[in-house]
């Protein structure tokens, strides 16, 4: 092999190693930078938690935490059938609500919804006629509402999305079969589920999303109670509107892919393309030199 060709290949290898080292170094620096940013964020959060700049916000957070703990305890007492402890816990919840400020954590409608479920719980426990089913339903609503206030980003009521979707699917199948009776039964199940989570939804969702689903439920209920026959196409259209309203309420995107694959880090795309192009160029040049050498050797002397 000619000396010039050997030198070119050696230099190409050195340059390739340098490029690969640059890519690895960039990745290490990026990871180190991300770790430093995470540490900085954690330190900031810890500092903010230990030295709050807004005492009112701290009161709201601590009040929401105490409210959820008390609601969990009350729910447990109701399931156990211990009415005396449940009543005592209900009074504690009422005092927490009165003494705490939830400003900035929910809307005025959310405060009203929370107040309503507390009053409903106390009313159910104070009724002259014992009603374990009513106690449990009221305690479940209060538990979901308190959790929604304390965990607005990941509330428990979001777990109902699968059940709501199942009811809507049942309505769609019934509409496709033009079976109004089954369609009405599925709607009744959906109405019951929504009644359990509605106060919690109001606390952590924009009023527009709640109003949209409320309007749809009212319209669908009016159609189900109509004495006149309803066409199959109209039933399907109503279900379609309900599916859209449910997606908005639960924060789901219609165009959201079922499975998303992680993308490669954007900062390494240019380096990777450059390294690949360089390798291809070296290989092509080497192949060309080899071809020329073979062709020269085949020439007659």
């Amino acid at each position: 092999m000619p000396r010039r060709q050997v030198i070119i290949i050696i230099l190409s290898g050195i340059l390739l190693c340098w490029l690969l080292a640059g890519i690895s170094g960039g990745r290490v620096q990026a990871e180190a930078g991300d770790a430093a940013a995470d540490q900085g964020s954690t330190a900031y959060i810890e500092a903010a938690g230990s030295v709050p700049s807004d005492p009112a916000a701290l009161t709201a957070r601590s009040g929401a935490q105490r409210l959820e703990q008390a609601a969990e305890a009350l729910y447990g007492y109701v399931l156990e059938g211990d009415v005396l402890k449940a009543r005592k816990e209900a009074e504690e919840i009422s005092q927490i609500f009165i003494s705490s400020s939830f400003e900035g954590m929910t809307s005025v409608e959310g405060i009203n919804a929370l107040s309503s479920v507390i009053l409903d719980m106390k009313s159910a426990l104070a009724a002259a006629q014992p009603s374990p089913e009513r106690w449990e339903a009221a305690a479940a609503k209060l538990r979901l509402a308190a959790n929604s206030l304390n965990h607005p980003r990941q509330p428990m009521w979001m777990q109902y999305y699968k059940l709501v979707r199942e009811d809507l699917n049942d309505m769609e199948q019934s509409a496709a079969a033009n079976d109004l009776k089954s369609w009405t039964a599925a709607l009744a199940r959906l109405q019951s589920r929504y009644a359990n989570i509605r106060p919690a939804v109001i606390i952590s969702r924009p009023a527009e999303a709640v109003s949209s689903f409320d309007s749809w439920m009212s319209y669908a209920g009016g159609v189900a109670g109509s004495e006149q026959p309803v066409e199959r196409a109209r039933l399907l259209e109503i279900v379609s509107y309900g599916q859209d309203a449910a997606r908005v309420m639960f924060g789901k995107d219609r165009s959201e892919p079922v499975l998303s694959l992680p993308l490669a880090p954007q900062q390494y795309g240019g380096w990777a393309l450059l390294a690949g192009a360089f390798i291809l160029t070296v290989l092509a040049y080497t192949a060309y030199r080899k071809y020329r050498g073979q062709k020269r050797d085949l020439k007659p002397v």
Side-chain angles (χ1 to χ4, degrees):
M1 183 181 294
R3 182 178 180 183
R4 180 180 178 185
Q5 183 176 356
V6 173
I7 295 174
I8 291 175
I9 293 176
I10 293 175
L11 292 176
S12 301
I14 295 173
L15 182 58
L16 176 60
C17 293
W18 176 79
L19 287 173
L20 293 177
I23 294 175
S24 301
R27 183 182 294 108
V28 171
Q29 291 179 358
E31 292 175 353
D34 293 341
D38 291 340
Q39 292 178 356
S41 300
T42 303
Y44 174 80
I45 292 173
E46 291 176 352
S50 59
V51 186
S53 59
D54 188 357
L58 178 60
T59 302
R61 287 194 298 270
S62 61
Q65 292 173 358
R66 290 174 57 200
L67 187 68
E68 183 181 15
Q69 293 171 358
E72 287 282 353
L74 186 147
Y75 184 72
Y77 294 145
V78 168
L79 294 182
E80 295 171 1
D82 196 334
V83 182
L84 294 179
K85 288 185 178 180
R87 288 173 178 170
K88 182 178 180 181
E89 203 66 39
E91 290 297 331
E92 176 68 17
I93 290 174
S94 181
Q95 291 300 318
I96 293 173
F97 179 79
I98 294 173
S99 60
S100 301
S101 170
F102 302 117
E103 183 180 359
M105 299 191 71
T106 185
S107 61
V108 175
E109 292 82 3
I111 295 294
N112 291 335
L114 181 59
S115 175
S116 296
V117 293
I118 294 174
L119 292 176
D120 185 52
M121 184 74 252
K122 296 179 67 175
S123 176
L125 292 172
Q129 187 69 26
S131 179
E133 293 182 358
R134 184 185 174 190
W135 298 341
E136 186 174 345
K141 288 183 183 179
L142 178 56
R143 180 190 181 207
L144 290 171
N147 173 267
S148 183
L149 181 68
N150 195 31
H151 303 282
R153 294 185 178 180
Q154 294 181 337
M156 287 193 300
W157 67 264
M158 292 285 290
Q159 299 174 6
Y160 276 70
Y161 181 65
K162 181 179 179 181
L163 299 175
V164 170
R165 287 288 301 170
E166 290 177 356
D167 291 335
L168 288 168
N169 289 339
D170 291 342
M171 291 178 65
E172 187 176 25
Q173 294 175 4
S174 299
N178 202 19
D179 187 353
L180 181 59
K181 184 177 180 181
S182 299
W183 191 87
T184 303
L187 175 62
R189 291 195 300 270
L190 178 57
Q191 289 172 334
S192 178
R193 297 191 205 280
Y194 182 57
N196 290 332
I197 67 173
R198 186 175 183 274
V201 176
I202 296 175
I203 289 173
S204 58
R205 277 290 182 265
E208 296 79 9
V210 182
S211 298
S212 177
F213 199 77
D214 284 349
S215 299
W216 177 82
M217 290 285 286
S218 178
Y219 179 72
V223 172
S226 176
E227 297 180 356
Q228 298 180 354
V230 185
E231 296 181 357
R232 172 179 175 273
R234 186 182 179 192
L235 292 177
L236 288 172
E237 185 180 20
I238 293 172
V239 174
S240 178
Y241 291 151
Q243 291 170 342
D244 289 340
R247 274 191 288 265
V248 171
M249 185 175 67
F250 282 91
K252 305 295 182 179
D253 186 4
R254 175 189 285 270
S255 60
E256 184 179 22
V258 178
L259 177 64
S260 57
L261 299 177
L263 298 177
Q266 185 176 2
Q267 60 268 30
Y268 304 134
W271 284 106
L273 291 175
L274 180 60
F278 178 80
I279 293 172
L280 291 176
T281 303
V282 172
L283 292 176
Y285 178 79
T286 304
Y288 174 72
R289 296 283 300 180
K290 184 177 180 180
Y291 168 76
R292 286 190 59 185
Q294 292 176 349
K295 187 176 181 180
R296 185 170 52 251
D297 293 338
L298 291 174
K299 290 182 177 180
V301 179

XYZ file of all heavy atoms in Angstrom, residues 41 71 123 148 153 164 179 189 218 261 272 283 286-287:
99
model
N -32.899 22.827 41.415
C -34.344 22.905 41.577
C -34.768 22.326 42.911
O -35.618 22.875 43.613
C -35.047 22.157 40.438
O -34.692 22.733 39.203
N -60.641 13.650 56.094
C -61.616 13.013 55.204
C -61.316 11.521 55.044
O -62.238 10.694 54.974
C -61.616 13.702 53.842
N -75.162 16.384 57.272
C -76.608 16.153 57.212
C -76.925 14.658 57.180
O -77.872 14.195 57.826
C -77.190 16.846 55.981
O -78.564 16.566 55.844
N -58.790 16.125 45.802
C -58.652 16.994 44.632
C -58.080 18.346 45.020
O -57.313 18.948 44.261
C -60.016 17.171 43.962
O -59.911 17.941 42.795
N -53.040 18.240 40.640
C -52.426 17.753 39.404
C -52.690 16.269 39.180
O -52.772 15.816 38.032
C -50.913 18.013 39.429
C -50.554 19.486 39.407
C -49.055 19.688 39.307
N -48.699 21.099 39.250
C -47.458 21.564 39.164
N -46.446 20.698 39.129
N -47.221 22.850 39.127
N -65.832 5.880 32.982
C -66.645 6.784 32.167
C -66.569 6.373 30.698
O -67.584 6.371 29.981
C -66.182 8.243 32.364
C -66.843 9.167 31.348
C -66.501 8.715 33.779
N -80.968 0.659 20.328
C -81.588 0.138 21.547
C -81.644 1.270 22.577
O -80.704 1.464 23.356
C -80.774 -1.039 22.071
C -81.443 -1.745 23.248
O -82.472 -1.234 23.739
O -80.924 -2.792 23.682
N -75.945 4.832 34.571
C -74.711 4.449 35.263
C -73.693 5.579 35.201
O -73.004 5.874 36.193
C -74.123 3.182 34.640
C -74.936 1.923 34.872
C -74.130 0.675 34.545
N -73.703 0.653 33.148
C -74.418 0.122 32.172
N -75.608 -0.407 32.424
N -73.951 0.121 30.928
N -77.153 16.958 30.861
C -78.532 17.432 30.918
C -79.257 17.157 29.601
O -80.411 16.708 29.584
C -78.548 18.925 31.237
O -79.865 19.421 31.244
N -42.666 6.857 21.308
C -41.293 6.427 21.518
C -40.434 7.616 21.898
O -40.626 8.712 21.399
C -40.745 5.786 20.238
C -41.492 4.536 19.769
C -40.887 4.056 18.453
C -41.414 3.439 20.804
N -23.879 13.569 15.235
C -24.055 12.210 14.711
C -24.061 12.213 13.187
O -23.440 11.349 12.548
C -25.363 11.616 15.246
N -14.631 5.819 3.787
C -14.807 4.510 3.177
C -14.848 4.614 1.647
O -14.276 3.785 0.929
C -16.089 3.852 3.710
C -16.058 3.444 5.188
C -17.409 2.901 5.612
C -14.966 2.400 5.443
N -11.347 5.306 0.325
C -10.518 4.106 0.401
C -10.870 3.120 -0.708
O -9.999 2.524 -1.348
C -10.679 3.441 1.769
O -10.356 4.392 2.802
C -9.758 2.237 1.902
N -12.189 2.941 -0.923
C -12.629 2.024 -1.979
C -12.170 2.522 -3.352
O -11.751 1.736 -4.212
C -14.151 1.883 -1.942
